[in-house]
Amino acid sequence: MKSPSATHALIRGDRTAGMLTMSDDHVMMNQILATHAPDGRDVDVRPLLYLVEDILNRATEHVDFIIKGTQAQIEMEEKAQQANYIAMLEALTFTIDRIACELSYKALRGSDPHATTTAIFSFLSSYAWDAKLVLSLSAFALNYGEFWLLAQIYSTNQLAKSMAILKQLPSLLEHTAPLKPRFNALNTLIRTMMDVTRCVVEFKDLPSMYISPDAPALASAMTLIPTAVYWTIRSMVACATQISSLTSMGHEYGVLATESWELSTLAHKLQNIHEHLRKQLNLCYQHIEEKKDVDTFHMLLKLFDPNVAHIDNMKHLKALIYAGDDKLPLLDGATRRKVGLEVLRRRNVLLLISSLEFSGDELAILEQIYSDTRMHEAGMQSHYEVVWIPVVERSGVPLSEETRTRFEALRSSMPWYSVEDPFLIEKPVMRFIKEVWHFRTKPILVVLDPRGKVLSQNAIHMMWIWGSAAFPFTSYEEENLWSKETWQLNLLIDGIDPLILDWIKDGKYIFLYGGDDMEWISKFVASARTVASAFGIPLEMVYVGKNNKREQVKKVAAIIKERKLSHCWEDPAMVWFFWTRLESMMFSKIQLGRADDLDPIVQGIKKLLSYGREGGWAVLSEGSNILVNGHSTTVLPTLVDYVKWRGNVAEKGFNLSFIEYHDQLHNVAHPCCRFEFLATTKAPESIRCPECHRDMEKHTAFVCCHDEQAIPDSLFAS
């Protein structure tokens, strides 16, 4: 019988020789691959792996307890039902026991580790790579778990104490401090073995419907998996040898640094393998996610097919917002409570889709329209519900603190329903919103009927023009509403300023004017007052700014108020809404294919939007009847030169005399017209000039207005 020291030397010598002679990985792996002859059986190793993880996690925790003197009590989650374990163990118990015996016997004898590993591969030749690995790890866990179970209870259980004495555990555990490097190395290697095993099993579980074996990431991983399985089982052999040596030869064997070095070397090798496998696995998951996203996108296309009928809107809302039942995805703006999608079942739903760059003016006006509607519908069921869907680019997970704060601030200010978490909106949904509903940067309002059918891909323009009166926001209703409109001041002002509506009722002459040239404004106001006085007409004037240069407009308005030149809109939201409604009218006409119609409304909108960007402008009306819509270069000279046309007033009247003289100047001046569309806005292919009615030239422009705060989300660039 060999002495302990002789056996120790034999074990070390055999192991070193094995490491040296098998340095050629290519030759070694050819030997392993020669043993691989799977018979096609499909072994579900997940339940077994959960059980093994439980054993090894508790065992490695006990290692930490032995070293540190404390033990964390961790309750492992039950990951499989007992019935699954029983059925699986009945089929695999013999195989696991056989490998466990092989590990113990060869470890005790000090056999060559490569030869032991190869023998295990030969015994498991008919199994797939993931099954080979999990079965081997199960066998190792059986032995290792028994070792630490005895170590844990031997002091309180007589049977365990007797068995522990046979294994020399009491002596071993009395010298835990010198063994700390060994236990640390064992702990690290075992956890790395589990990491690699989980990774290999994850590759086996990848859904074949979303990733094929020839996908680059999966193909690369599959070439490495045999090597990963080999070195993991080889590491089990090394760990088994270490434990056997400790129990058979005592703590004196365990204090040698060379043994810890071998375990650390194997751990380092396995960690490198695991890092590479995990990288490839992440690429596989990315590939699968992209495939799933494509499938989800196509599912959305079919779901929102206008030719397909549905019972209600729940499939649509779940597909867009959240399909699960484990959380409440909406926040009720009225009660500030989380609610489910059921509150929207068979309701008309307006999906307010925007980024977090939602202007305060825009939100304030929309809230006012929403509140007015709810007030008028008091005691009745509302016509529709609004749901805010935030589109937030996923540059990081979770959201940055700044982005989260912006999101929560916006959500808290909304009185309607909001998506509770922007990450609920998945990437294929955002793609659908952008590609199908043409969302870019400006908020859009998608209208769904009670069955989920899209009535309008963007009713925001109808909402700005007519508010809730445009319900149900269909193209038919849009055409119907336009058929009732005429080119009058009521259309431009609507309910923005009640004072102007009073002037209209009183039949007064009204000048709406704008621009940012204070010298022109002063001359215009003085000349208008002179003309009104000369002809004895009741004239009121209101400054409504222009559709860009927000800060400059505020300064001009402050000067007008200080000098008491005329009435002006001091609230920037009123100025913003006036121009936004005009832009919405233009966009509505574009959507309906009416952008080039020669009716007075289309021509008037075009002129105002164009004049609002170049110098000053003015609209003169008598009551609501618009007389002149002119540029600064024609309106001011008409006022200044009133002595030239005053003689016609007695015969033709003031209105016609003013119009004729202005038109004469206009026919000579022909001010330039231009329309600027943001690159993020769907612009028409062509548009006709409201002055000469010819097709306008298309240019690309880069513009900076040097304004401290440009009008947000404007349809047209500044």
Side-chain angles (χ1 to χ4, degrees):
M1 182 177 177
K2 295 184 179 75
S3 66
S5 59
T7 303
H8 175 207
L10 176 62
I11 291 172
R12 289 190 59 208
D14 287 346
R15 186 180 301 111
T16 304
M19 293 289 282
L20 292 174
T21 58
M22 295 308 299
S23 59
D24 187 344
D25 279 0
H26 182 70
V27 174
M28 177 187 68
M29 287 312 302
N30 281 340
Q31 292 178 0
I32 297 302
L33 291 172
T35 68
H36 187 57
D39 58 9
R41 78 180 80 179
D42 186 19
V43 180
D44 181 12
V45 297
R46 275 287 180 183
L48 184 58
L49 180 58
Y50 293 150
L51 187 60
V52 169
E53 285 180 319
D54 190 22
I55 294 171
L56 293 179
N57 280 331
R58 293 178 187 276
T60 52
E61 284 297 331
H62 194 65
V63 171
D64 290 340
F65 163 69
I66 293 293
I67 297 171
K68 300 175 184 176
T70 61
Q71 179 180 7
Q73 298 298 319
I74 300 177
E75 291 298 328
M76 294 293 292
E77 178 185 357
E78 289 295 337
K79 296 182 179 179
Q81 298 299 321
Q82 191 66 26
N84 292 343
Y85 286 148
I86 294 172
M88 171 267 301
L89 288 173
E90 286 178 351
L92 300 175
T93 295
F94 172 77
T95 303
I96 294 171
D97 285 343
R98 174 73 182 274
I99 300 171
C101 291
E102 183 80 6
L103 282 171
S104 298
Y105 177 66
K106 294 292 180 66
L108 193 59
R109 286 189 57 194
S111 299
D112 172 59
H114 173 67
T116 303
T117 306
T118 304
I120 294 173
F121 272 98
S122 297
F123 179 66
L124 297 173
S125 61
S126 60
Y127 291 91
W129 293 109
D130 64 310
K132 294 181 199 289
L133 189 51
V134 175
L135 289 170
S136 300
L137 191 63
S138 302
F140 171 74
L142 194 63
N143 293 337
Y144 194 63
E146 180 187 8
F147 174 83
W148 285 113
L149 178 62
L150 289 176
Q152 184 177 3
I153 67 172
Y154 85 95
S155 61
T156 59
N157 185 288
Q158 185 58 46
L159 175 59
K161 183 176 182 180
S162 298
M163 292 180 65
I165 290 172
L166 283 177
K167 291 179 175 290
Q168 302 185 41
L169 278 179
S171 174
L172 180 66
L173 298 179
E174 288 174 2
H175 299 83
T176 55
L179 295 176
K180 182 176 179 180
R182 173 65 54 81
F183 286 137
N184 281 339
L186 272 171
N187 204 4
T188 300
L189 181 54
I190 291 170
R191 290 183 177 177
T192 307
M193 285 157 43
M194 288 195 289
D195 288 340
V196 174
T197 303
R198 279 191 293 265
C199 210
V200 171
V201 172
E202 283 187 65
F203 276 108
K204 171 68 181 305
D205 291 344
L206 292 177
S208 59
M209 65 182 296
Y210 292 115
I211 188 166
S212 61
D214 58 353
L218 183 54
S220 174
M222 295 310 293
T223 60
L224 180 61
I225 281 179
T227 302
V229 174
Y230 170 81
W231 282 107
T232 306
I233 296 178
R234 173 78 172 262
S235 297
M236 296 176 203
V237 173
C239 290
T241 300
Q242 299 296 316
I243 295 299
S244 295
S245 301
L246 283 170
T247 56
S248 63
M249 286 174 282
H251 68 277
E252 293 88 353
Y253 169 77
V255 299
L256 295 177
T258 54
E259 309 306 331
S260 296
W261 173 84
E262 182 194 355
L263 296 177
S264 299
T265 301
L266 285 169
H268 180 71
K269 187 175 188 70
L270 274 188
Q271 285 165 356
N272 288 336
I273 291 173
H274 176 253
E275 286 176 7
H276 183 74
L277 285 178
R278 178 52 62 181
K279 179 181 177 182
Q280 297 307 115
L281 188 59
N282 289 338
L283 291 174
C284 288
Y285 283 139
Q286 182 179 337
H287 177 90
I288 292 168
E289 192 69 23
E290 290 171 357
K291 291 286 187 181
K292 286 183 176 180
D293 287 350
V294 170
D295 283 0
T296 302
F297 179 76
H298 288 134
M299 178 272 291
L300 288 167
L301 290 176
K302 292 179 181 178
L303 189 61
F304 284 95
D305 184 341
N307 299 315
V308 179
H310 297 273
I311 297 175
D312 59 28
N313 55 6
M314 293 311 294
K315 284 185 178 179
H316 305 76
L317 295 173
K318 286 184 176 181
L320 289 172
I321 299 174
Y322 186 68
D325 297 321
D326 58 328
K327 63 176 64 177
L328 301 174
L330 299 180
L331 184 72
D332 187 338
T335 64
R336 315 315 299 174
R337 293 179 180 176
K338 294 181 182 180
V339 295
L341 294 174
E342 281 293 327
V343 298
L344 305 174
R345 183 185 289 274
R346 295 189 178 179
R347 302 299 310 280
N348 291 289
V349 178
L350 275 57
L351 302 175
L352 177 61
I353 302 170
S354 79
S355 68
L356 300 185
E357 302 301 324
F358 208 141
S359 81
D361 292 338
E362 202 159 10
L363 187 55
I365 298 295
L366 199 57
E367 285 178 9
Q368 187 62 48
I369 295 173
Y370 180 83
S371 299
D372 290 347
T373 303
R374 286 297 189 268
M375 190 179 301
H376 293 147
E377 294 173 343
M380 301 182 297
Q381 188 177 41
S382 61
H383 289 311
Y384 58 82
E385 298 293 347
V386 178
V387 179
W388 179 46
I389 296 183
V391 177
V392 179
E393 297 302 328
R394 305 187 181 200
S395 56
V397 178
L399 291 177
S400 68
E401 189 64 30
E402 179 184 359
T403 303
R404 171 64 65 178
T405 301
R406 278 213 320 269
F407 165 73
E408 291 179 352
L410 258 180
R411 187 185 61 183
S412 65
S413 67
M414 295 180 176
W416 44 76
Y417 294 111
S418 301
V419 171
E420 195 273 330
D421 185 343
F423 273 12
L424 292 179
I425 309 303
E426 297 180 342
K427 287 190 291 184
V429 175
M430 289 197 285
R431 178 189 171 191
F432 181 83
I433 287 170
K434 292 175 181 178
E435 293 185 13
V436 178
W437 290 342
H438 307 297
F439 171 78
R440 289 170 174 81
T441 56
K442 283 181 59 63
I444 64 173
L445 200 63
V446 179
V447 183
L448 306 182
D449 75 2
R451 293 188 174 187
K453 183 179 180 180
V454 177
L455 299 181
S456 173
Q457 288 190 3
N458 190 6
I460 195 77
H461 309 294
M462 296 175 70
M463 184 67 84
W464 294 144
I465 301 168
W466 297 289
S468 296
F471 180 85
F473 306 102
T474 60
S475 296
Y476 174 81
E477 185 62 27
E478 192 171 11
E479 291 270 21
N480 182 49
L481 288 168
W482 273 124
S483 69
K484 300 174 183 178
E485 298 289 358
T486 56
W487 180 240
Q488 294 201 353
L489 200 60
N490 274 325
L491 174 64
L492 301 183
I493 299 302
D494 194 36
I496 297 177
D497 190 342
L499 180 60
I500 298 179
L501 297 181
D502 290 339
W503 295 343
I504 291 174
K505 290 178 183 177
D506 294 339
K508 293 183 176 182
Y509 283 85
I510 303 167
F511 256 129
L512 256 65
Y513 70 97
D516 60 355
D517 184 341
M518 201 58 226
E519 182 180 355
W520 179 87
I521 289 172
S522 297
K523 290 180 180 178
F524 166 77
V525 171
S527 300
R529 299 285 186 203
T530 299
V531 170
S533 177
F535 294 100
I537 60 174
L539 176 67
E540 300 290 350
M541 291 185 284
V542 57
Y543 174 73
V544 298
K546 58 189 300 180
N547 59 350
N548 54 19
K549 297 189 177 180
R550 181 188 182 100
E551 292 302 314
Q552 182 64 21
V553 167
K554 287 171 65 176
K555 293 176 182 177
V556 170
I559 295 173
I560 290 173
K561 181 182 178 182
E562 180 184 355
R563 297 181 184 178
K564 299 179 180 180
L565 297 179
S566 74
H567 178 57
C568 64
W569 291 343
E570 297 179 69
D571 184 356
M574 295 173 68
V575 176
W576 175 87
F577 191 39
F578 173 80
W579 290 105
T580 295
R581 286 187 74 251
L582 284 178
E583 292 166 351
S584 295
M585 291 177 196
M586 179 69 171
F587 199 89
S588 173
K589 291 291 187 179
I590 290 173
Q591 284 191 140
L592 294 173
R594 300 282 190 265
D596 288 328
D597 286 0
L598 297 180
D599 74 83
I601 293 179
V602 174
Q603 298 306 305
I605 293 169
K606 284 183 178 180
K607 287 180 180 179
L608 263 182
L609 289 173
S610 178
Y611 297 163
R613 299 188 170 277
E614 299 289 343
W617 61 272
V619 171
L620 176 63
S621 73
E622 181 185 14
S624 189
N625 181 38
I626 294 178
L627 305 177
V628 166
N629 175 15
H631 191 261
S632 59
T633 56
T634 57
V635 175
L636 181 57
T638 300
L639 293 170
V640 171
D641 296 343
Y642 78 95
V643 293
K644 296 181 180 179
W645 51 268
R646 67 183 302 171
N648 299 327
V649 173
E651 178 185 352
K652 298 180 179 180
F654 174 82
N655 293 359
L656 186 57
S657 300
F658 189 97
I659 293 170
E660 286 183 349
Y661 191 82
H662 175 269
D663 288 349
Q664 289 176 18
L665 296 179
H666 176 269
N667 291 335
V668 175
H670 268 312
C672 291
C673 289
R674 68 170 185 165
F675 303 99
E676 297 170 355
F677 297 83
L678 286 173
T680 54
T681 301
K682 188 179 179 181
E685 289 298 318
S686 63
I687 193 167
R688 289 179 183 174
C689 175
E691 300 288 348
C692 65
H693 309 306
R694 291 179 295 190
D695 284 341
M696 301 177 73
E697 296 180 0
K698 184 183 289 187
H699 296 265
T700 299
F702 297 88
V703 184
C704 180
C705 289
H706 313 295
D707 196 27
E708 294 178 23
Q709 183 181 0
I711 295 178
D713 297 326
S714 178
L715 241 173
F716 302 88
S718 300

